[in-house]
Amino acid sequence: MSHSVPFLTLLIILPAVGGGVLALLALDKRLPKELCDWLAVLVSLATLVVAVVALVTMREHFGGFQLVSNHSYTGDTLGIRWYLGVDGISIFLVLLSALLFPLVLLTGQNKPKPRAYAAWLLLLEAAVMGSFLSLDLIVFFFFFELTLVPAYFIIAGWGHDRRAYAAVKFFLYTFLGSAFLLVGILALAFIHQSQTGVLTFSLPALEHTHLSSSTEILLFLAFTSAFAVKAPLFPFHTWSPDAYTEAPAGGSVILSSVLAKLGTYGIIRFDLTLFPQATRTLAPLILTLAVIGIVYGAIVACVQRDMKRLVAYSSLAQIGFIALGTFALNEQGLSGAVLLMLNHGLIVAGLFLVIGFIYERRGTWQTTELRGLQKVAPVMAGVFTLFMLASIGVPGLNGFVSEFLVLVGTFLTHRWWAVVAVLGVIVSAIYLLWTYQQVFHGVPKPEDEKTRDLSWPERLVLTPLIILIVFLGVFPKPALDRIDPSVTQLVTHVEKATGHDQPSVTTKGTAALGGQP
């Protein structure tokens, strides 16, 4: 469904132009710093407004792509098109990105070289939007790779002691994984051209390419290598604890909440659509890696005394849950995975922001050096508690709904993987409660007694996250009403391509749960 107003193009152009203007303004030292700060915030807020309008404009209960922009980009010679579209799977990732970038910009105005910092963030937002919206595989690859550049400079330029090492490691890992993705895209397009005589990189066209079983598996692995590193999925995660820890607080938010979702989104959007048979064949392998990641991430998080690394390993476990729901290959599991991408993004953003506020006050995020902050900063303690409980999956908060759907969907198709994954939920409660107890309980140390509570601007930044975490925990229906039609359409596509119907709660799943079919 196309639309006369190019909402999706605006979502990319606004932050791209804003970042370019800020980069030019950074060369003029006479301009007031506050002017550039607020220009960046206004551009990101305008992008958020466009994203919200796009959501409202979309038809509900429709699973296909909407607000489509499809224009020739290189002509017929190269077959590349400016092809953008959004559906129930991608719209909430677009909204998540549009929400988090202005919050990060608001918390980064006191950094050195704030104009350059804001310019890199806006360029990163444009690349992220392009990745979530592109339906042409070459355009997607361009934006997917473009995210590396601003992310690298944000880590290397404004990170902590080992920032250079973390930035290079992040860049090399993800760049190497993406090389396989480019080879896979070109191979798929050339195979399609040999069958139809038309060179195209359009996703709807390429999904009709006829592939042998071995070719489909090889292409699946080529695509998934890039997405698994970006997510990151175990065992491709080793860059993430360093990058999340050494990045500035805002960089940690974007890396974990937004860039990580590019990997899981890529698996859902491209692997399941283009390689359904390979997806089903290799599902046990990915499910096993997901469960290992859940348990491993939870266990390693238990021994961390560095709060940033703890959240990094906790995120590894949550990415495992997203992969678990995705490769359950039924509606409950996949809807839970898509919703968990949104919910995890909100939760981990809140955790990293609070940890950043603690670091600004105390100069550390080591649990061994903090004590009794609840006494001197009760609002900060309360906010951290909310984010912590949401991450654990307490009913009434957003983490519970998505994890429940993932576990139900996985239990129907891969029971023992779901049983093992429950261990990760239990262990997450242990390490998060233990961390809270160490940092916020007890008698404050002399240096902790001077810790000030959250300021009103800081509370204002955290308020949207708190509202959404509670709202989506109590009333997830508006989000699921958008997600479910697109998920149903994708699951139906996989089932038709593989000739295998997966059980669901509403049909065969009732028998699997002990009820009547």
Side-chain angles (χ1 to χ4, degrees):
M1 185 182 92
S2 60
H3 202 274
S4 57
V5 180
F7 290 113
L8 306 189
T9 301
L10 283 174
L11 286 171
I12 300 170
I13 289 178
L14 273 174
V17 172
V21 170
L22 271 177
L24 293 174
L25 292 179
L27 301 176
D28 188 350
K29 304 301 181 183
R30 297 170 298 174
L31 289 173
K33 168 184 170 296
E34 292 77 10
L35 174 65
C36 296
D37 289 345
W38 287 109
L39 175 62
V41 173
L42 287 173
V43 169
S44 62
L45 287 175
T47 307
L48 174 59
V49 170
V50 174
V52 172
V53 172
L55 172 68
V56 173
T57 306
M58 289 175 64
R59 287 166 51 195
E60 200 171 349
H61 307 300
F62 177 75
F65 293 112
Q66 303 187 50
L67 311 181
V68 172
S69 293
N70 189 358
H71 308 285
S72 178
Y73 187 68
T74 61
D76 296 332
T77 307
L78 295 178
I80 303 172
R81 300 185 66 82
W82 182 256
Y83 189 8
L84 309 177
V86 69
D87 65 354
I89 293 171
S90 56
I91 184 60
F92 291 105
L93 297 174
V94 169
L95 287 164
L96 175 68
S97 305
L99 171 66
L100 292 183
F101 274 96
L103 300 185
V104 168
L105 284 165
L106 285 169
T107 60
Q109 294 184 346
N110 296 323
K111 294 188 178 300
K113 300 179 181 177
R115 300 173 189 177
Y117 180 73
W120 283 124
L121 276 173
L122 287 176
L123 178 60
L124 182 55
E125 182 174 15
V128 164
M129 291 297 185
S131 300
F132 285 135
L133 297 172
S134 296
L135 299 179
D136 183 287
L137 269 64
I138 290 294
V139 176
F140 167 81
F141 178 80
F142 170 77
F143 284 119
F144 188 78
E145 282 295 272
L146 184 60
T147 60
L148 295 183
V149 178
Y152 169 83
F153 282 106
I154 288 169
I155 298 170
W158 290 270
H160 299 285
D161 295 341
R162 298 173 68 244
R163 59 184 180 271
Y165 166 77
V168 170
K169 189 175 182 180
F170 160 75
F171 189 94
L172 290 179
Y173 265 64
T174 49
F175 188 75
L176 178 62
S178 298
F180 293 100
L181 174 61
L182 179 59
V183 171
I185 290 172
L186 294 175
L188 179 62
F190 291 147
I191 292 171
H192 182 84
Q193 184 184 27
S194 69
Q195 295 175 0
T196 64
V198 177
L199 178 62
T200 181
F201 296 94
S202 166
L203 176 64
L206 291 176
E207 71 176 274
H208 299 294
T209 307
H210 299 290
L211 302 169
S212 67
S213 178
S214 58
T215 302
E216 189 168 330
I217 288 174
L218 288 173
L219 290 174
F220 174 93
L221 293 174
F223 276 64
T224 306
S225 62
F227 300 143
V229 171
K230 197 85 161 189
L233 185 67
F234 179 91
F236 306 98
H237 68 284
T238 54
W239 64 267
S240 63
D242 293 315
Y244 290 7
T245 302
E246 299 304 326
S252 300
V253 169
I254 299 303
L255 283 170
S256 58
S257 297
V258 179
L259 290 191
K261 306 311 178 291
L262 285 179
T264 51
Y265 169 78
I267 290 173
I268 294 172
R269 172 66 71 223
F270 298 106
D271 283 353
L272 271 63
T273 302
L274 297 171
F275 318 116
Q277 187 61 56
T279 298
R280 182 166 178 266
T281 301
L282 296 177
L285 170 63
I286 307 298
L287 288 166
T288 301
L289 293 178
V291 169
I292 294 173
I294 291 169
V295 177
Y296 171 81
I299 292 174
V300 175
C302 283
V303 299
Q304 297 301 315
R305 296 297 173 260
D306 181 310
M307 283 199 287
K308 270 197 161 186
R309 292 186 80 87
L310 181 144
V311 176
Y313 282 107
S314 172
S315 293
L316 173 64
Q318 291 297 310
I319 294 298
F321 270 104
I322 294 170
L324 200 70
T326 299
F327 285 89
L329 299 179
N330 59 23
E331 293 174 21
Q332 288 75 30
L334 192 51
S335 290
V338 174
L339 186 61
L340 184 54
M341 286 195 281
L342 168 64
N343 288 337
H344 174 254
L346 296 170
I347 294 166
V348 78
L351 288 171
F352 273 126
L353 285 174
V354 174
I355 292 170
F357 295 150
I358 292 173
Y359 182 81
E360 288 176 6
R361 290 157 169 76
R362 290 283 288 103
T364 183
W365 52 67
Q366 300 293 323
T367 59
T368 53
E369 299 176 21
L370 300 165
R371 191 74 70 239
L373 295 186
Q374 181 175 272
K375 181 179 179 181
V376 294
V379 176
M380 182 190 291
V383 170
F384 187 89
T385 302
L386 180 77
F387 294 138
M388 173 192 69
L389 294 176
S391 183
I392 291 171
V394 171
L397 299 176
N398 64 343
F400 170 77
V401 180
S402 39
E403 285 189 3
F404 177 77
L405 283 171
V406 165
L407 289 172
V408 167
T410 308
F411 187 82
L412 292 173
T413 56
H414 301 87
R415 183 165 303 181
W416 291 110
W417 280 271
V419 171
V420 176
V422 172
L423 294 175
V425 179
I426 298 169
V427 178
S428 71
I430 296 173
Y431 63 73
L432 286 167
L433 290 170
W434 177 244
T435 300
Y436 178 83
Q437 189 177 48
Q438 286 184 296
V439 174
F440 290 98
H441 285 186
V443 179
K445 297 179 180 180
E447 53 269 35
D448 291 320
E449 290 180 344
K450 299 178 182 179
T451 304
R452 57 185 171 83
D453 208 345
L454 293 178
S455 65
W456 281 108
E458 290 168 340
R459 298 181 193 189
L460 186 64
V461 166
L462 294 172
T463 296
L465 301 177
I466 295 170
I467 292 172
L468 287 170
I469 283 171
V470 174
F471 177 80
L472 290 171
V474 175
F475 190 47
K477 186 176 182 296
L480 288 171
D481 281 347
R482 300 276 186 180
I483 293 169
D484 286 345
S486 297
V487 163
T488 300
Q489 184 169 305
L490 183 56
V491 170
T492 301
H493 165 72
V494 173
E495 290 178 345
K496 285 182 178 178
T498 60
H500 180 83
D501 292 339
Q502 294 283 39
S504 68
V505 170
T506 54
T507 56
K508 298 177 185 177
T510 53
L513 292 172
Q516 294 299 317

